[in-house]
Amino acid sequence: MRRNAHYQGAAPAALSGQVTVDLSAISDNVRSLKERSEAPYFMAVVKGNAYGHGLVEVAREAIAAGADWLGTAQLTEAIALRQAGVTVPILSWLYLASQTSATILEALENDIDVSLGSVGQLEVLVGIAGRLGRPAVVHLELDSGLSRGGARKEDWAELVARAREAELDGTLRVRGLWTHLAWADVPAHPGNATAVAEFEDAVRQAREAGLTPDLRHVSSSANILDRPEFHFDMVRAGLAIYGLAPADHLDPADFGLRPALSVTAPLVMVKKVPAGTGVSYEHQAITYEPRYLGLIPLGYADGIPKGISGRSVVNIAGRAVPVIGKVCMDQFMVDLGPDATGIDVGDTAVLFGDPACGAASADDWGAAIGSHGDEIINRIAPRLPRAYATAAYQCPDYQEPAAAGPGNVA
């Protein structure tokens, strides 16, 4: 019976999978990205529980590797970081502007910067800051074409004028100006240059209104790697920190980046079936010859997308074996081929991890369902236990993957 030394770790207490986060990959990725950035400040984006990797654990690792700032979508994430003892500056950008919001007040009490993209939000923050007794620290956001958060350019002049009034009143401090590009994941798209030109004009208007922001920031991961002229005073690294491709044409390995997260599970059953056997619900896959099938105890309740059936592979004992049949709520099947020699019940199945070590990547899985790796890693359910590896990384001693036969007939 063969075991995978890197991915297996401690045997799970129950028939479940295991999420392993390689914190050394996080730190190495942060350092690699900082070396490529021409901006003086570097923000590590840890929204969504650090893309499913673990909010506090990743934040601490990123800071140790040189991150100057952290970014979260929600205020509760930023507050949790403060409660965990994180002291670096944090920007949070998604909240309900409510005059009675205790969460906004708690965020400001914890020295969390917040994004500001409308006069309505400004009035709320000014009111809360008045109760707090010190200014709310904000980054004014320009909507440069994403049509999401931020003020449109026709509303920008009013926002910066009102922000300057609030600064003079002592209820607001504008620390930054920022935008997010609609074509951020297509760095060469001409829309990016147009948006950046609009941003530069917005910066000029803000300064003419009397604002003196310390930070201008535009670039997310793809622009860090591919558009150095967009770096300004700070870059915001998200996907690339986790070793995933921030754009279709950017291979993380080309930039010294590697995936930090792997998902594994034990193989709990192996059975031989004859030709013509229907597999899983509705028999959407039928064996065309005698095959061995393996059962993996993960399903869509764990975040495994149904769309991977017949389109993605799992690595078991160094062999790439395809997913076969419809993914169920708590389990799915893999096609072990006509000969399952060398594969045993209890072996570790690597769903995705580091492709340099023979595993499929989360990006591979994302492509299989017409999406990207960030959707895959963010879907992994909290019920799967997380383990954190901090030792120097080494690839497992994989066997040469066997050629996978066509186990599915639609």
Side-chain angles (χ1 to χ4, degrees):
M1 185 177 296
R2 188 176 179 277
R3 290 288 183 267
N4 181 317
H6 177 69
Y7 285 108
Q8 185 172 349
L15 291 180
S16 66
Q18 172 78 58
V19 177
T20 301
V21 178
D22 179 4
L23 292 176
S24 70
I26 298 291
S27 57
D28 288 347
N29 292 344
V30 168
R31 293 188 186 99
S32 294
L33 291 164
K34 278 179 65 69
E35 289 175 0
R36 293 183 175 276
S37 172
E38 299 185 5
Y41 295 99
F42 183 94
M43 175 187 288
V45 178
V46 292
K47 63 181 181 179
N49 192 29
Y51 290 64
H53 291 63
L55 176 67
V56 174
E57 294 85 357
V58 169
R60 288 174 173 160
E61 196 71 21
I63 293 166
D68 309 288
W69 279 74
L70 297 175
T72 72
Q74 298 184 6
L75 295 178
T76 51
E77 297 170 317
I79 292 167
L81 289 169
R82 287 286 186 254
Q83 292 172 341
V86 173
T87 59
V88 301
I90 302 173
L91 172 64
S92 192
W93 49 79
L94 190 62
Y95 56 94
L96 174 64
S98 169
Q99 200 81 34
T100 59
S101 174
T103 304
I104 295 176
L105 178 60
E106 186 177 4
L108 298 182
E109 287 174 334
N110 280 279
D111 296 321
I112 294 164
D113 291 18
V114 295
S115 180
L116 178 56
S118 72
V119 172
Q121 284 183 321
L122 184 149
E123 297 297 342
V124 169
L125 290 174
V126 164
I128 294 174
R131 302 203 305 271
L132 182 63
R134 54 188 166 91
V137 183
V138 303
H139 297 226
L140 301 185
E141 182 183 5
L142 174 73
D143 176 4
S144 60
L146 191 58
S147 299
R148 203 169 64 177
R152 291 177 59 83
K153 61 181 179 180
E154 56 264 33
D155 301 319
W156 184 255
E158 181 186 6
L159 178 62
V160 297
R162 184 66 187 92
R164 179 55 181 159
E165 291 175 6
E167 279 198 333
L168 294 173
D169 291 341
T171 53
L172 207 69
R173 177 193 164 202
V174 178
R175 196 203 304 245
L177 304 175
W178 74 295
T179 192
H180 191 71
L181 302 178
W183 296 94
D185 54 352
V186 189
H189 193 282
N192 288 324
T194 299
V196 170
E198 289 185 5
F199 177 71
E200 290 176 318
D201 186 58
V203 171
R204 178 188 56 78
Q205 291 182 57
R207 287 177 172 160
E208 288 176 352
L211 298 177
T212 56
D214 300 323
L215 300 171
R216 302 160 300 159
H217 49 105
V218 171
S219 292
S220 54
S221 288
N223 299 134
I224 294 172
L225 299 176
D226 213 20
R227 296 300 293 266
E229 69 272 29
F230 295 167
H231 289 184
F232 290 97
D233 303 309
M234 182 165 69
V235 295
R236 307 183 304 264
L239 273 177
I241 285 179
Y242 307 98
L244 298 183
D248 290 341
H249 72 291
L250 298 175
D251 185 342
D254 291 342
F255 301 93
L257 308 174
R258 69 176 190 272
L261 184 147
S262 62
V263 174
T264 60
L267 182 66
V268 298
M269 181 180 291
V270 175
K271 65 172 67 175
K272 187 175 183 180
V273 299
T277 298
V279 182
S280 195
Y281 290 113
E282 302 167 16
H283 289 182
Q284 292 182 2
I286 299 174
T287 61
Y288 72 96
E289 66 177 356
R291 315 289 289 180
Y292 285 88
L293 303 179
L295 179 64
I296 308 296
L298 296 177
Y300 58 80
D302 303 289
I304 307 303
K306 287 186 175 183
I308 64 165
S309 178
R311 298 187 179 95
S312 199
V313 297
V314 168
N315 195 295
I316 303 176
R319 290 170 55 178
V321 296
V323 178
I324 181 173
K326 216 172 184 182
V327 173
C328 307
M329 183 171 177
D330 302 288
Q331 53 198 302
F332 67 88
M333 307 298 292
V334 290
D335 178 6
L336 302 177
D339 182 1
T341 301
I343 295 179
D344 297 295
V345 169
D347 278 353
T348 296
V350 183
L351 279 66
F352 52 83
D354 188 347
C357 298
S361 69
D363 286 324
D364 293 332
W365 275 48
I369 63 170
S371 182
H372 297 89
D374 54 336
E375 180 177 351
I376 298 298
I377 61 173
N378 279 292
R379 292 174 71 152
I380 300 303
R383 79 176 185 178
L384 293 186
R386 265 67 171 171
Y388 292 90
T390 56
Y393 179 79
Q394 289 185 337
C395 285
D397 183 22
Y398 275 113
Q399 298 173 354
E400 282 296 317
N408 296 7
V409 175

